[in-house]
Amino acid sequence: MHHHDPATDAVLDRGIAPDGAARAAGPARHVLLTGATGFLGAFLLRELLDRTDAHVWCLIRADGDHHAAARLREAMRRYLIWDDLSAERVTPVVGDLTAPSLGLTPARWAELAERIDAVQHAGAQVGHAAPYSALRAANVRGTQEIVRLACERRGKPLSFISTAAVPGDPADRAATPPPPGRPGGGYVTGKWVAERLVRQAGDRGLPVLIHRPGRISGHSVTGACQLDDGIWHFVRAITLLGLAPDVAASDGGPDVSFSPVDYVARAIVRMSAQDTGPAAPRYLVNHSRMPLSELIGHVAKRYAVSYVSQDTWLERLWEARHRHDGALLKAGVLVKYYRALLSGTGRPPTVNDGDSVRDLAGTGITCPPLDGALIGVYLDYFQSAGFLPVPTTTPIHAKGVHRESPVRSA
């Protein structure tokens, strides 16, 4: 495979710069959204429909307009946020982040360049094990094409969704790409490059804002969540094996943190790019963390589990990875990640989200705390979605009182 150098890729095409000043301030009337069939993207669409009057154009990979509309409807139904009324404010646009000009015809490109007055770029190809070269077309070249479209005819404010795993400041031209070989490293390197392309467009006069969310969890009220996050596959493995790893409940021990998707989407739509010159990336993280032992305890209140040593648990998971109709395959792939999680070495770095806190002050947009009630909402959703088994009996040795949760129909 042709070797691509991230540092070389991180230089924005010289010909890309805003053609004219952004349209007069005021709420955007036409927004281009990428990634609308993905987890965060679907909730960004819901947020744009609920809190703005904008018409939203959604770039979707599909065989045609009907297929694109069907993919969008299916994604939003899966996350319990579809409604037929708002469909008239959404136009699916068949396109492809990996193709030149986003796979659009010249006429469609010109129409969007003329009509769109803000861009939310949440679309990306995700792959925990994929190398940079495999994700480069969608996540790097695709971002450059989005930037090109945002600059055409006139500057359109661009919000770019990155990840808190990206190190450093995108304005630092001397920085070197993250070292390869880490889990998820290809994805993070692609986002590192894409951030720099967006930032250079900002330096050339395009209003841009980069968002760096941490781990994103399900909706805080409905629990609706994507089903491919390693943490929930860890929980699924505990319920299917009937075994939990013994984790010390000490301060400074392993812990987890995640932000509900409804909070992240509201914050991003509220903080979208302003015409005030390039700003520092905005981190979106949950200030509260939950000890891993506590998360496991909430699962043990609902499912009959026995505690075993961490090594035994990891061995049992590895041995059982091909059983349970494939439900443990993903967890089996993540054994190395779980070893780091259990030992507390896999902690994400602490980040400074002071800018986001200031931006959101007085808006009423706050991140829900991580507590047993939130975990209960998530476990309810995962059961109703068939991701977790329905508990057969109430465990006797549950720590604390077992609370019967109301069963919601899927």
Side-chain angles (χ1 to χ4, degrees), residues 266 270 356-366:
R266 276 195 75 185
R270 184 62 184 248
S356 303
V357 171
R358 270 194 303 279
D359 287 354
L360 296 171
T363 63
I365 302 174
T366 54

Side-chain angles (χ1 to χ4, degrees), residues 180-272:
R182 298 185 182 173
Y187 178 75
V188 172
T189 300
K191 287 292 193 181
W192 181 91
V193 174
E195 279 195 5
R196 283 169 154 64
L197 300 177
V198 169
R199 175 62 198 231
Q200 287 159 52
D203 292 339
R204 295 175 196 179
L206 186 72
V208 300
L209 191 58
I210 294 167
H211 298 278
R212 288 181 174 176
R215 185 188 291 273
I216 302 173
S217 58
H219 190 283
S220 62
V221 178
T222 66
C225 190
Q226 59 166 328
L227 303 179
D228 50 11
D229 190 300
I231 282 286
W232 305 120
H233 280 270
F234 174 78
V235 168
R236 186 190 217 182
I238 291 171
T239 65
L240 292 174
L241 295 170
L243 299 171
D246 212 354
V247 179
S250 63
D251 277 353
D255 59 17
V256 292
S257 186
F258 31 76
S259 307
V261 66
D262 42 317
Y263 159 72
V264 176
R266 276 195 75 185
I268 287 171
V269 169
R270 184 62 184 248
M271 293 196 294
S272 36

Side-chain angles (χ1 to χ4, degrees), residues 123-316:
Q125 195 175 329
V126 184
H128 192 73
Y132 172 74
S133 56
L135 302 175
R136 173 182 181 268
N139 299 359
V140 173
R141 309 311 290 178
T143 297
Q144 178 155 289
E145 294 302 276
I146 288 289
V147 168
R148 191 192 304 278
L149 182 59
C151 286
E152 194 135 325
R153 300 282 172 103
R154 61 174 184 283
K156 309 161 192 47
L158 168 64
S159 288
F160 175 59
I161 316 304
S162 182
T163 163
V166 171
D169 174 0
D172 177 4
R173 295 292 173 88
T176 54
R182 298 185 182 173
Y187 178 75
V188 172
T189 300
K191 287 292 193 181
W192 181 91
V193 174
E195 279 195 5
R196 283 169 154 64
L197 300 177
V198 169
R199 175 62 198 231
Q200 287 159 52
D203 292 339
R204 295 175 196 179
L206 186 72
V208 300
L209 191 58
I210 294 167
H211 298 278
R212 288 181 174 176
R215 185 188 291 273
I216 302 173
S217 58
H219 190 283
S220 62
V221 178
T222 66
C225 190
Q226 59 166 328
L227 303 179
D228 50 11
D229 190 300
I231 282 286
W232 305 120
H233 280 270
F234 174 78
V235 168
R236 186 190 217 182
I238 291 171
T239 65
L240 292 174
L241 295 170
L243 299 171
D246 212 354
V247 179
S250 63
D251 277 353
D255 59 17
V256 292
S257 186
F258 31 76
S259 307
V261 66
D262 42 317
Y263 159 72
V264 176
R266 276 195 75 185
I268 287 171
V269 169
R270 184 62 184 248
M271 293 196 294
S272 36
Q274 306 297 322
D275 199 1
T276 48
R282 296 301 195 247
Y283 285 100
L284 290 163
V285 292
N286 197 332
H287 289 184
S288 71
R289 308 186 69 88
M290 178 177 280
L292 191 59
S293 57
E294 194 181 317
L295 175 63
I296 295 169
H298 289 303
V299 178
K301 285 177 193 167
R302 198 178 279 226
Y303 294 89
V305 298
S306 311
Y307 284 84
V308 293
S309 76
Q310 295 180 19
D311 284 342
T312 302
W313 189 81
L314 291 164
E315 277 163 31
R316 293 289 180 82

Side-chain angles (χ1 to χ4, degrees), residues 57-120:
W57 302 66
C58 299
L59 188 78
I60 297 170
R61 211 176 48 234
D63 301 330
D65 291 339
H66 286 297
H67 181 218
R71 281 198 63 204
L72 187 61
R73 198 164 50 240
E74 186 189 321
M76 294 188 80
R77 282 202 175 126
R78 183 184 321 134
Y79 299 128
L80 314 177
I81 49 177
W82 173 257
D83 82 79
D84 290 311
L85 285 176
S86 44
E88 61 204 36
R89 278 177 51 208
V90 178
T91 302
V93 176
V94 178
D96 183 351
L97 287 174
T98 66
S101 300
L102 305 169
L104 304 173
T105 62
R108 185 59 127 169
W109 176 278
E111 180 189 12
L112 291 174
E114 184 53 52
R115 296 191 71 174
I116 297 300
D117 37 35
V119 181
Q120 293 271 358

Side-chain angles (χ1 to χ4, degrees), residues 315-375:
E315 277 163 31
R316 293 289 180 82
L317 167 58
W318 183 251
E319 288 160 8
R321 70 191 185 282
H322 292 301
R323 285 182 241 134
H324 300 284
D325 298 324
L328 290 178
L329 281 171
K330 168 111 180 177
V333 170
L334 294 173
V335 161
K336 215 158 80 176
Y337 162 71
Y338 294 148
R339 194 177 292 283
L341 175 73
L342 289 162
S343 67
T345 54
R347 284 185 73 156
T350 322
V351 299
N352 177 0
D353 66 345
D355 287 329
S356 303
V357 171
R358 270 194 303 279
D359 287 354
L360 296 171
T363 63
I365 302 174
T366 54
C367 189
L370 272 188
D371 56 22
L374 186 64
I375 300 300

